[in-house]
Amino acid sequence: MARSLLKKRIASREDNFLQLAEKSIFHYSRSPYRKLLEPKRIAFRDLKSWVSRDGLEAALRTLELEGVYFTVDEFKGKVPVKRKGITFRCEEEMFDNPYLSFVYEVRSGATRSAGTRIRIDFDYLHQRSLYDAFLLDLHGCLTAPIANWFPVFPGAPGINSSLRFAHIGNPVRRWFSQVAENQVRVNWEKRWGTKAIFAVSRFYGLSLAEPEYAGLDDAHKVANWAAEALREHPTCVVYTFAASAVRVCIAAAEANLSLKGAKFLVTGEPLTPQKKKEIAAAGAEAIPVYGISEAGVIAAGCDQIHAHSDHCHLYKDTTAIIPHKHIVPNFDLSLDSYLFTSLLHESPKLLLNVGMGDYGDIDTKDCNCRFGELGFDTVLCNIRSYEKLTGEGVTFVDTDFVRILEKELPERFGGKSTDYQLIEEEDSKGFTHLQLLVSPRVGRVNENDVLNKFMMLLKRGESSPESWAQSGSEMWQQSGMVQIKRGSPLSTASGKILPFHLHKENSHPTECTTK
Ligand SMILES: [Zn+2]
């Protein structure tokens, strides 16, 4: 079913896009896109003729050149949208798909703010589960035992993947959660809603695994499960964050367990070459799964050998991507960010050239795999984010860090806004760390005090019980994600000191040469 449906949808992606655009943009009076289209006098028939003449991606580029796009900050309402002669501010609700019924809400990771609210409905889960079936089949593990290791509700990937795998007839055998249920505060609706999902599943005779706590130090629990599954089956699947997968492989090596045959579907953070190597060292295989909360999983890795560790095929029947030149304020970088467009009516958010803070390479290539056979010929790799700092699968939005580094730490410990800097680094095991650099100019400080204050400021996101920043700061504390280092902040090639300094060998951004 998955194969034939995906094939049909690739063939009709332009028609699907046009139908969706006509109904939910041009004929939907509250669409935020109309504020950009109307001043330019772009009508639906224009878009239709561009698509039929030049193809979908070229038509999207024409729209982009006309100013019809939203950056991630505009989309989230953090900055006003300014185009020639018009200024307005977006609210994230404006992008909700008005034609969906919804069943439950999840939150994307972010601190302070509650994160982006995403409404999920069953039609959407059904459509998504087809890709799961296709992907598992491609990797020879459609019926292999599956476990996931994701935080409890309201984190999205745990509950979403559990329901999707159940829908294709292969429910997860175990759901491990890096965060204990009593470590997150959610309102009673969510608490009972979660219980209801499991009660209903039992009522229908389906064993939906309930989350069980396995902190980051308990990776051996997941490793044991995988090793046991592999004794009875040729393959098994662990769906988790990339860093969590590395933890499982290290735990397996320490216990002398072989994970030969295990497939790690890894998501939430880049699958770097080092992480891929660590996973391969345990005999297992890492398969990158790329998703954004606003559109779900939109790309995944195949079974062929590729030069890039995070080589993914774009699910081009559901999403179109074009690159957009973007200058990132806090990083002093110019890069090609991705602009996303949703093509199917099940999409929870209606995206038309919307940036999500991610960037990377995008290419059209033939591949000798089943994705290639089907026509999934758009390839993504070197995917990174400039808007978020990600570690252990948890993302924090950079604006929170900027305030902490430039204002709150100097106020408490002395020094100026440029005396504190975060440096993202990957250690030899493939774990990402954030070094909090404190300039010698600041004088004598108790390093533990600085670290505790920093974590406390991050955790303030807990004031919102909806925020899964709670899970995030909990996981960062468990993993010793942030380390203090004394030294002068590093400047960029253009001589600026910025609150962040990224060491990213595999990324392509070029430093701006500012005049
Ligand atoms: Zn391929």
Side-chain angles (χ1 to χ4, degrees):
M1 193 212 275
R3 241 191 320 263
S4 66
L5 213 120
L6 294 180
K7 198 165 187 163
K8 210 162 27 177
R9 280 214 305 241
I10 290 173
S12 52
R13 68 194 287 264
E14 294 185 347
D15 290 338
N16 289 345
F17 164 70
L18 287 171
Q19 270 175 29
L20 183 66
E22 182 174 29
K23 181 177 166 191
S24 56
I25 294 172
F26 289 91
H27 289 171
Y28 178 49
S29 61
R30 288 165 59 204
S31 169
Y33 303 103
R34 289 181 51 164
K35 296 183 187 191
L36 299 174
L37 292 161
E38 280 163 10
K40 292 279 183 178
R41 298 178 187 281
I42 300 170
F44 177 66
R45 62 176 179 279
D46 299 316
L47 182 61
K48 199 173 168 184
S49 73
W50 295 338
V51 170
S52 64
R53 191 188 65 199
D54 312 321
L56 176 54
E57 275 73 14
L60 293 173
R61 272 191 291 274
T62 306
L63 286 175
E64 181 219 0
L65 290 174
E66 295 289 339
V68 182
Y69 65 88
F70 289 114
T71 66
V72 63
D73 286 343
E74 291 169 346
F75 166 75
K76 290 186 175 163
K78 284 199 262 178
V79 299
V81 181
K82 288 182 188 161
R83 302 285 184 273
K84 207 178 167 188
I86 44 164
T87 303
F88 61 96
R89 206 177 265 274
C90 296
E91 284 165 34
E92 60 162 290
E93 286 83 1
M94 291 176 171
F95 295 87
D96 283 349
N97 185 340
Y99 303 105
L100 281 189
S101 61
F102 75 94
V103 183
Y104 63 93
E105 267 181 31
V106 289
R107 301 268 165 179
S108 67
T111 168
R112 302 281 173 93
S113 64
T116 305
R117 183 202 51 157
I118 316 289
R119 291 177 163 181
I120 302 292
D121 93 337
F122 284 144
D123 216 12
Y124 169 75
L125 286 173
H126 166 72
Q127 295 301 338
R128 294 285 137 180
S129 68
L130 297 177
Y131 299 105
D132 295 313
F134 186 82
L135 182 67
L136 290 175
D137 187 48
L138 186 154
H139 288 281
C141 44
L142 183 58
T143 57
I146 305 176
N148 52 8
W149 192 18
F150 285 126
V152 285
F153 219 55
I159 188 73
N160 286 358
S161 63
S162 285
L163 290 174
R164 294 193 327 254
F165 288 133
H167 186 61
I168 61 170
N170 189 5
V172 298
R173 312 282 172 107
R174 302 279 283 274
W175 174 359
F176 300 99
S177 167
Q178 292 92 335
V179 180
E181 245 164 302
N182 57 19
Q183 283 168 337
V184 285
R185 290 182 298 135
V186 292
N187 60 23
W188 64 271
E189 259 178 303
K190 292 253 171 5
R191 200 170 288 282
W192 286 101
T194 313
K195 290 205 186 315
I197 291 176
F198 294 105
V200 170
S201 82
R202 274 193 299 275
F203 180 76
Y204 282 96
L206 181 89
S207 57
L208 207 56
E210 292 198 39
E212 52 189 294
Y213 178 54
L216 293 179
D217 286 336
D218 302 326
H220 59 271
K221 289 187 188 169
V222 187
N224 284 336
W225 174 85
E228 221 161 273
L230 288 169
R231 263 175 231 133
E232 288 172 31
H233 304 266
T235 60
C236 73
V237 178
V238 179
Y239 194 13
T240 187
F241 301 125
S244 290
V246 172
R247 282 176 197 282
V248 175
C249 292
I250 290 172
E254 280 169 2
N256 264 329
L257 295 171
S258 165
L259 294 186
K260 198 168 174 357
K263 314 264 183 183
F264 284 88
L265 297 180
V266 299
T267 191
E269 60 197 317
L271 177 61
T272 58
Q274 189 57 35
K275 287 192 178 75
K276 192 176 169 124
K277 216 165 89 185
E278 293 289 335
I279 294 166
E285 193 189 332
I287 301 156
V289 173
Y290 173 57
I292 53 173
S293 329
E294 288 75 8
V297 173
I298 53 170
C302 69
D303 57 349
Q304 304 290 302
I305 294 166
H306 296 285
H308 295 286
S309 54
D310 64 345
H311 180 282
C312 284
H313 288 270
L314 174 67
Y315 295 166
K316 63 186 271 189
D317 61 315
T318 175
T319 307
I321 300 181
I322 61 165
H324 172 71
K325 257 302 165 257
H326 182 69
I327 293 172
V328 190
N330 292 319
F331 290 80
D332 203 15
L333 300 171
S334 161
L335 41 81
D336 280 334
S337 71
Y338 290 156
L339 291 181
F340 298 89
T341 296
S342 30
L343 308 181
L344 290 177
H345 70 270
E346 297 89 0
S347 181
K349 297 273 179 192
L350 292 171
L351 307 177
L352 176 66
N353 281 345
V354 179
M356 289 294 157
D358 286 356
Y359 65 94
D361 298 345
I362 178 163
D363 211 350
T364 304
K365 266 199 186 109
D366 289 333
C367 185
N368 237 348
C369 71
R370 290 210 210 142
F371 278 132
E373 265 171 39
L374 208 63
F376 282 132
D377 56 357
T378 306
V379 165
L380 308 176
C381 62
N382 286 318
I383 308 163
R384 297 292 185 271
S385 169
Y386 60 82
E387 192 251 358
K388 296 159 272 198
L389 286 171
T390 304
E392 304 291 342
V394 176
T395 56
F396 285 93
V397 175
D398 67 10
T399 43
D400 301 314
F401 286 106
V402 174
R403 194 166 44 235
I404 295 173
L405 294 171
E406 292 194 337
K407 184 162 176 290
E408 289 167 318
L409 288 180
E411 273 173 9
R412 172 70 180 78
F413 297 101
K416 296 243 173 355
S417 66
T418 51
D419 285 330
Y420 298 84
Q421 193 177 43
L422 274 179
I423 303 178
E424 194 182 87
E425 272 179 341
E426 196 179 52
D427 67 18
S428 59
K429 285 183 170 163
F431 292 117
T432 304
H433 290 283
L434 289 177
Q435 287 188 333
L436 175 54
L437 210 60
V438 184
S439 161
R441 289 183 0 104
V442 175
R444 194 194 290 267
V445 287
N446 182 325
E447 294 183 5
N448 272 336
D449 285 353
V450 180
L451 185 62
N452 290 338
K453 179 79 183 170
F454 180 79
M455 291 307 292
M456 200 199 83
L457 291 169
L458 264 189
K459 260 197 154 177
R460 252 189 345 208
E462 284 195 31
S463 56
S464 156
E466 296 299 314
S467 166
W468 88 289
Q470 306 165 59
S471 307
S473 40
E474 169 62 28
M475 284 169 69
W476 279 20
Q477 215 132 29
Q478 282 183 31
S479 66
M481 174 84 185
V482 184
Q483 300 161 345
I484 301 277
K485 195 177 159 188
R486 295 305 299 260
S488 299
L490 310 170
S491 61
T492 64
S494 58
K496 288 185 189 169
I497 304 262
L498 296 161
F500 300 96
H501 197 86
L502 300 186
H503 287 293
K504 284 186 171 171
E505 285 145 39
N506 294 301
S507 60
H508 283 251
T510 45
E511 296 278 355
C512 292
T513 42
T514 41
K515 312 270 176 336

